[in-house]
């Protein structure tokens, strides 16, 4: 049973536009959510996170929104840049302070074209 | 920033041989490290939790005798794939837990090791 789902396997966005990556989860006990960026043949790199007590967290061009009632979170990248082209994984944890059990989504491949 | 390294970055081996993969935290100590594997176009799946000075905790369905984990120091964990078979071919990624300034811990990932078993 996939507890964290990224239903869009790929997304293509023009440079300068907004990229919106979506993630849905089923377990209402998840307390902390993270986004990772992954290039081919590399490990994931932590990007941004949000705890369940917030509905928005912003870091530069990256903003994560959390809608707990809908069990949905999204990552907004604006403006999108070609270097943002990568696979993005959302992950969830049951514990804000102990993220040892991360449940990952299947990833969304973002391609930003000029 | 935190750096986690893995060695080797890729390995090709014959079926039946054993392969050791090292995971190191370069600028911090990690009492807990994790080993994941990722098949093409699939999510990262946690295989086991590696605890310094104690036995690893394996996830359901992961054979502990096949995937040997040793966490000998606070900066090194090793994964040994014993008697590797073609179905073990995958991308293996480790991560290490590091304390966050704001409290709690976050996982930092290594670059991964691609294993191809012929």
């Amino acid at each position: 049973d996939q507890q964290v789902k990224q239903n869009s396997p790929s997304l293509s966005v023009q440079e300068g536009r907004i990229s919106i990556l979506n993630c849905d989860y089923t377990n209402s006990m998840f307390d902390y959510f993270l986004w990772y960026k992954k290039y081919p043949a590399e490990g994931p790199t932590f990007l941004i996170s949000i705890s369940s007590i917030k509905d928005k967290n912003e870091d530069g061009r990256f903003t994560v929104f959390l809608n707990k009632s809908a069990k949905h979170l999204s990552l907004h990248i604006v403006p999108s840049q070609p270097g943002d082209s990568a696979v993005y994984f959302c992950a969830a944890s049951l514990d804000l302070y102990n993220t040892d059990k991360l449940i990952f989504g299947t990833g969304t491949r973002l391609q930003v074209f000029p | 920033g935190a750096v986690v390294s893995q060695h080797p970055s890729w390995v090709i081996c014959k079926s039946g041989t054993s392969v050791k993969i090292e995971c190191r935290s370069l600028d911090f100590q990690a009492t807990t490290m994790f080993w994941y594997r990722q098949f093409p176009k699939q999510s990262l799946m946690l295989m086991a939790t590696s605890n310094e000075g104690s036995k690893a905790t394996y996830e359901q369905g992961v054979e502990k005798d096949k995937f040997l984990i040793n966490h000998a120091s606070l900066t090194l964990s090793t994964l040994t794939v014993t008697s590797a078979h073609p179905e073990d071919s995958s991308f293996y990624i480790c991560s290490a837990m590091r304390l966050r300034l704001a409290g709690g811990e976050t996982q930092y990932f290594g670059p991964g090791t691609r294993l191809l078993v012929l």
Side-chain angles (χ1 to χ4, degrees), chain A residues 32-83:
Chain A
Y32 190 59
F33 303 89
L34 309 90
W35 282 95
Y36 285 86
K37 177 181 179 181
K38 183 181 181 301
Y39 293 113
E42 293 186 13
T45 302
F46 171 72
L47 201 57
I48 192 170
S49 63
I50 188 167
S51 71
S52 61
I53 61 174
K54 294 186 174 182
D55 55 17
K56 177 183 176 181
N57 188 26
E58 190 173 351
D59 183 3
R61 297 186 297 114
F62 303 92
T63 303
V64 56
F65 295 92
L66 175 63
N67 183 332
K68 286 188 67 178
S69 61
K71 296 190 182 68
H72 176 84
L73 67 154
S74 61
L75 174 68
H76 291 212
I77 306 173
V78 56
S80 301
Q81 300 173 354

Side-chain angles (χ1 to χ4, degrees), chain B residues 15 37 39 66-67 83-90 92 115 117:
Chain B
S15 184
R37 67 187 297 182
F39 292 106
K66 181 169 185 59
F67 298 100
S83 187
H85 290 285
E87 58 265 29
D88 298 324
S89 299
S90 186
Y92 293 86
L115 170 64
V117 184

Side-chain angles (χ1 to χ4, degrees), chain B:
Chain B
V3 178
V4 176
S5 70
Q6 279 184 243
H7 178 79
S9 56
W10 60 271
V11 59
I12 302 173
C13 69
K14 291 183 179 180
S15 184
T17 59
S18 294
V19 176
K20 179 186 284 188
I21 304 170
E22 293 185 349
C23 176
R24 293 180 186 272
S25 57
L26 297 184
D27 58 355
F28 64 99
Q29 294 182 330
T31 56
T32 306
M33 292 184 173
F34 304 91
W35 287 96
Y36 293 82
R37 67 187 297 182
Q38 183 189 22
F39 292 106
K41 298 183 180 180
Q42 294 189 26
S43 181
L44 288 81
M45 298 300 296
L46 180 64
M47 298 175 65
T49 302
S50 173
N51 303 296
E52 188 270 335
S54 65
K55 291 183 178 180
T57 305
Y58 290 82
E59 296 300 301
Q60 191 173 11
V62 178
E63 299 176 59
K64 61 179 65 177
D65 294 329
K66 181 169 185 59
F67 298 100
L68 300 179
I69 292 173
N70 183 272
H71 197 150
S73 75
L74 288 171
T75 59
L76 173 64
S77 175
T78 59
L79 168 69
T80 301
V81 183
T82 62
S83 187
H85 290 285
E87 58 265 29
D88 298 324
S89 299
S90 186
F91 192 54
Y92 293 86
I93 306 173
C94 73
S95 70
M97 292 285 273
R98 187 186 189 186
L99 292 174
R100 297 198 300 265
L101 291 176
E105 296 179 294
T106 297
Q107 289 188 45
Y108 289 87
F109 287 83
T113 297
R114 184 162 300 281
L115 170 64
L116 177 60
V117 184
L118 302 176

